[in-house]
Amino acid sequence: MDHPSFVHHAVLLSLALFGLGTLGVFLRRNVITVLMSIELMLNGANLAFVAFSRAAGTLDGQVLVFFVMVVAAAEAAVGLAIVIALHRHKDTLDIDAFNVMKG
Amino acid sequence: MFEDPVLNVLPFAVLLLPLGGFIVLALFGDWIKKDEEEQGACWLACATVVSAFALAVFTTVRLYGLASGAEGLRFSQPYLGFEWIAVGSFRVPINLLIDPLSSVMMLVVSGISAVIHVYSVGYMAHDEDKVRFFSYMNLFVFFMLLLVMGGSLPLLFVGWEGVGLCSYLLIGFWYRKDSASAAGLKAFVVNRIGDAGLILGMIFIFHAFGSLDLVDIADNAGALAPEALWQWGPVTIACLLLFLGAIGKSAQIPLHVWLPDAMEGPTPVSALIHAATMVTAGVYLVARLGPLFHQSETAMLVVAVTGAVTALMAGTIAIVQTDIKRVLAYSTVSQLGFMFLAAGMGAFGVAVFHLYTHAFFKALLFLGSGSVIHAMSGEQDMRRMGGLRKKVPWTYVTFLIGTLAIAGIPPLAGFFSKDEILLSALHNPTLFGIALFTALLTAAYMARLLFLTFFGEFRGGHDAEHHLHESPWSMLVPLVLLALGSIGAGFLKVPHVVQSVFRLPEPHLPHVAWLPAVATLTGVVGILIAWYLYLAMPELRGSLAQPLRPALRVFAAKYFFDHVYDGFVRHVVIGGSDRLLWKRVDEGVIDGAVNGAGSLTRAFAETLRPVQTGFVRHYVLLVLAGAVAVVYYLLASAERLAP
């Protein structure tokens, strides 16, 4: 049997991971770092899923985590391909350089 | 009604012979015609129509032989064995209707066509396009026979549109002449107005009866409630719409304007299509649906008044025309008015009787005028003719017979039918007066035509006089045949023959002893007036024209119908399209709506534009804010739902 405050601690940790990821997305300028920060956010969410799943005694949350992992893998593949394309195009990875969609 | 295997096939043979002629000529005509003078194609066309006539005679004889002494109602409905249209309760089988009325029409159409085809061989001998001419003529005969033999309104309508097409093609036969192609277009467009009425009328009839079969309509019409004067029931509306179609086809006021212009076509076309057969289709339609028209007093009055007014107006125009064919054209309009007058008076049989006699003498007159034009090498102006009596004796004699027939001199054909029309109009003094005066005009303008053309001195100059020649025998034989018809046709009592078709008791026309005498006298007086003014005392014309000048000016301007239509088209249709529909509706409303939708979108986009900053962080912020909002909403609603 888990410690009663197990879910509490797990959610706090997942919140910390998610917050770190969010800050990374907002503050870092390098596109690759931003992508890594997004991975951090996803894993924060995964942790919360697993914790709640464990506490509730069902497998739903863990199944969802596998989905998120698959999507994250696909996202990483496509995202890095886009990063390469961007780098070829602009010769930089500064995220503020890509503003052609400005209205 | 009875079954007869031969009668189930023969009418289709009558119908399909001219169609076959058309197909052969259209596909292989140039191959048959080896050189300019080759006439094999022409004789092929004649052969199909002559054999169609022979089969028509055989059909009629057999029908009457089988039904002799039987009940009054005698008809046969051959059926080809398949349906043309079958949609729900709307069914149109390919069936023909052979009864006394369509027998008369079938014989008139095929007979007159046969004679005119033979005439055309001589008339068109020097035309390089004669194969095209004869293929159109054969096609016309097919459609006209379909019109008079079709057993239902849709089949009749196919024939109706088909003859309209052939009329257009043949009016504009000499298409290199601007006036000819313009006249063809005019005929086509004016006829469309009437045809729209015919279609609407058919829809109304189907709505009222659930059937478009001519026999069904005639059988059931008697059961409908009669509609009094100015009572706008379904029968009245249906009849008036159908009559609009009849007005267009039969050139009645106000849609008569196309017929005089149609004289641009070759003269045999004028004789066949625009005098003897096609233009009588409207009369046939009204007579065919006589039982229906009879149920509506309003429709009958409209038919009678339209006919009387047209007869009078066209007669007055005819007396001032100088083109020989235009006199005859207005005469045709006037005589068609006579037919409608009789039909409107309830004497449908009499209308068909006049249709039948008129076919003979008007075809004769047109062919005679064609012979004159042929002799004059194309000149149509009567002021350049005169004294042709001795140069073209055969044409003169036959033309004289035609003139006397149309003037109503006994015992020629026109006398009998005109007498019966006057008799049927007797109980309405106004219409009777108009009819009698028009009869006087008829005699006068025809005598004027005769005197200007064949009497007096030749006014065309020496060269033309030198060229004068009598027409070849292929043109004279038809003239003689038609002259014989004009003499004898009146002795067949057509009103009695066709009466059973109308499902009405034979009208008891009183025996008025003085009427034939008055009618004859009217004709004689008309001829005498013309003789007095054009031969005896020509100088009197000038002094008489002075006080009558305003009236003559109106006649010469044809009652300004063309001016009014021209003004209407020019100012209302074209001007309205230009200034209102184009500049206001199209550019203003429609383009405005399209451009307005565009600029509205643009303005909306303009206000939302600043949201797109181009900075990825801003987008992420918005996504985050959205996610927070969604989560907040979910939590808040979960709290509300909690107990």
Side-chain angles (χ1 to χ4, degrees):
Chain A
M1 198 58 205
D2 298 316
H3 193 270
S5 61
F6 157 70
V7 177
H8 187 75
H9 290 133
V11 169
L12 278 180
L13 178 59
S14 104
L15 196 65
L17 282 173
F18 192 85
L20 279 172
T22 312
L23 282 175
V25 170
F26 276 109
L27 299 178
R28 303 306 295 243
R29 300 172 68 99
N30 190 304
V31 179
I32 295 175
T33 323
V34 169
L35 274 177
M36 286 160 61
S37 303
I38 291 173
E39 290 298 321
L40 208 55
M41 290 167 77
L42 285 170
N43 283 316
N46 279 349
L47 186 61
F49 272 126
V50 174
F52 283 122
S53 173
R54 170 95 192 192
T58 63
L59 287 176
D60 296 7
Q62 300 183 28
V63 171
L64 209 59
V65 167
F66 281 108
F67 273 113
V68 174
M69 282 175 168
V70 171
V71 172
E75 182 236 300
V78 175
L80 286 173
I82 292 174
V83 168
I84 292 169
L86 287 175
H87 187 259
R88 281 189 186 151
H89 191 65
K90 281 253 172 157
D91 224 6
T92 172
L93 283 180
D94 186 349
I95 199 159
D96 289 335
F98 306 109
N99 60 354
V100 283
M101 287 293 280
K102 185 180 184 304
Chain B
M1 194 172 173
F2 44 82
E3 296 294 324
D4 179 66
V6 178
L7 278 182
N8 256 337
V9 177
L10 263 186
F12 287 105
V14 174
L15 199 58
L16 295 178
L17 267 171
L19 181 66
F22 161 72
I23 292 172
V24 169
L25 285 184
L27 294 180
F28 310 112
D30 285 333
W31 183 69
I32 296 171
K33 192 185 89 165
K34 292 188 186 70
D35 58 80
E36 284 311 310
E37 296 305 312
E38 173 74 39
Q39 297 196 324
C42 311
W43 289 116
L44 177 74
C46 295
T48 62
V49 180
V50 170
S51 32
F53 175 60
L55 287 183
V57 172
F58 185 55
T59 307
T60 311
V61 169
R62 186 168 180 99
L63 181 68
Y64 285 78
L66 284 173
S68 62
E71 77 287 3
L73 206 66
R74 299 170 297 193
F75 62 87
S76 144
Q77 269 196 292
Y79 175 47
L80 199 55
F82 68 91
E83 284 183 324
W84 174 30
I85 305 174
V87 182
S89 65
F90 181 72
R91 287 175 182 276
V92 183
I94 303 283
N95 68 338
L96 303 180
L97 171 62
I98 309 298
D99 64 357
L101 178 57
S102 50
S103 292
V104 168
M105 293 300 293
M106 182 172 78
L107 291 175
V108 168
V109 169
S110 56
I112 303 280
S113 303
V115 171
I116 292 177
H117 267 75
V118 174
Y119 177 93
S120 306
V121 174
Y123 192 83
M124 301 300 284
H126 307 301
D127 197 293
E128 57 183 19
D129 246 356
K130 53 181 173 259
V131 172
R132 186 163 60 93
F133 177 82
F134 277 97
S135 66
Y136 289 166
M137 289 286 270
N138 266 13
L139 186 66
F140 169 78
V141 176
F142 162 71
F143 277 126
M144 191 66 210
L145 286 171
L146 182 63
L147 198 166
V148 297
M149 292 162 77
S152 58
L153 277 175
L155 275 186
L156 183 152
F157 186 71
V158 172
W160 186 277
E161 291 297 315
V163 291
L165 168 70
C166 294
S167 162
Y168 161 76
L169 291 172
L170 284 165
I171 293 169
F173 179 72
W174 288 314
Y175 54 84
R176 288 193 187 83
K177 212 163 98 186
D178 279 345
S179 59
S181 61
L185 268 181
K186 183 172 179 181
F188 203 74
V189 170
V190 173
N191 265 298
R192 290 285 80 64
I193 300 172
D195 294 349
L198 184 55
I199 295 176
L200 292 175
M202 285 204 298
I203 295 170
F204 251 86
I205 286 187
F206 184 73
H207 188 66
F209 291 94
S211 168
L212 288 174
D213 191 88
L214 293 173
V215 176
D216 283 353
I217 296 171
D219 283 343
N220 298 331
L224 293 174
E227 289 171 14
L229 203 55
W230 312 129
Q231 184 190 342
W232 301 100
V235 177
T236 304
I237 294 173
C239 287
L240 288 179
L241 286 169
L242 291 170
F243 185 56
L244 181 62
I247 283 178
K249 196 58 97 196
S250 290
Q252 298 294 291
I253 283 172
L255 296 182
H256 65 289
V257 289
W258 64 271
L259 188 57
D261 287 11
M263 297 302 130
E264 291 288 345
T267 304
V269 172
S270 310
L272 178 60
I273 302 184
H274 305 119
T277 56
M278 186 191 81
V279 289
T280 62
V283 182
Y284 169 76
L285 180 71
V286 173
R288 174 52 81 192
L289 297 173
L292 191 68
F293 276 81
H294 198 261
Q295 297 302 100
S296 164
E297 252 182 82
T298 318
M300 292 294 269
L301 185 71
V302 169
V303 172
V305 169
T306 307
V309 171
T310 306
L312 181 65
M313 287 176 114
T316 52
I317 296 172
I319 55 173
V320 295
Q321 294 296 310
T322 53
D323 182 312
I324 185 167
K325 283 180 74 181
R326 277 181 182 260
V327 176
L328 293 174
Y330 279 106
S331 164
T332 305
V333 175
S334 176
Q335 298 300 310
L336 289 166
F338 263 116
M339 296 174 207
F340 279 113
L341 171 62
M345 285 290 150
F348 300 110
V350 175
V352 176
F353 188 27
H354 196 57
L355 186 166
Y356 154 84
T357 57
H358 175 258
F360 285 100
F361 54 69
K362 188 50 67 67
L364 169 62
L365 289 169
F366 263 113
L367 294 190
S369 79
S371 182
V372 168
I373 294 166
H374 195 78
M376 297 286 299
S377 312
E379 181 60 59
Q380 300 193 9
D381 194 332
M382 294 190 295
R383 288 170 297 191
R384 295 174 186 277
M385 299 177 186
L388 295 181
R389 189 167 34 144
K390 299 189 191 67
K391 306 282 185 184
V392 287
W394 282 97
T395 307
Y396 164 65
V397 170
T398 51
F399 205 93
L400 178 66
I401 292 170
T403 305
L404 293 179
I406 196 175
I409 305 297
L412 302 174
F415 165 74
F416 295 98
S417 52
K418 198 164 286 182
D419 188 46
E420 294 224 20
I421 291 176
L422 291 172
L423 197 58
S424 66
L426 198 55
H427 59 269
N428 186 326
T430 317
L431 294 181
F432 177 77
I434 292 178
L436 199 63
F437 182 65
T438 308
L440 178 80
L441 284 175
T442 308
Y445 65 67
M446 284 313 300
R448 167 178 175 267
L449 171 63
L450 187 77
F451 295 146
L452 277 176
T453 310
F454 293 100
F455 288 77
E457 291 297 311
F458 187 73
R459 298 178 292 272
H462 276 294
D463 282 351
E465 190 165 12
H466 191 66
H467 279 116
L468 284 175
H469 59 285
E470 182 62 294
S471 304
W473 66 268
S474 62
M475 290 166 70
L476 294 180
V477 169
L479 287 178
V480 172
L481 287 176
L482 286 172
L484 293 177
S486 305
I487 294 170
F491 293 104
L492 179 67
K493 288 291 159 242
V494 172
H496 178 70
V497 172
V498 299
Q499 190 59 40
S500 66
V501 173
F502 308 125
R503 315 286 198 275
L504 302 168
E506 194 154 357
H508 278 286
L509 296 176
H511 275 284
V512 187
W514 52 268
L515 192 60
V518 168
T520 310
L521 195 67
T522 312
V524 172
V525 169
I527 294 174
L528 282 179
I529 291 173
W531 175 77
Y532 202 66
L533 288 178
Y534 283 88
L535 286 183
M537 300 190 68
E539 62 277 8
L540 198 65
R541 276 216 314 272
S543 52
L544 204 61
Q546 205 58 39
L548 287 176
R549 176 158 292 172
L552 290 176
R553 191 172 291 167
V554 173
F555 298 160
K558 300 153 196 160
Y559 291 91
F560 304 105
F561 271 102
D562 279 325
H563 298 83
V564 171
Y565 290 161
D566 185 57
F568 176 78
V569 169
R570 200 183 293 274
H571 293 117
V572 180
V573 178
I574 296 178
S577 304
D578 179 16
R579 282 188 290 271
L580 181 70
L581 292 179
W582 174 19
K583 299 273 166 61
R584 298 260 177 278
V585 176
D586 195 38
E587 290 196 342
V589 178
I590 296 180
D591 289 1
V594 172
N595 292 339
S599 35
L600 201 69
T601 311
R602 184 177 283 269
F604 186 64
E606 205 60 54
T607 54
L608 286 183
R609 221 175 130 173
V611 178
Q612 294 277 17
T613 54
F615 289 110
V616 179
R617 281 191 205 89
H618 289 164
Y619 303 158
V620 176
L621 186 64
L622 285 175
V623 170
L624 194 69
V628 169
V630 168
V631 170
Y632 177 79
Y633 172 78
L634 287 175
L635 288 176
S637 52
E639 205 143 286
R640 225 181 308 120
L641 285 175

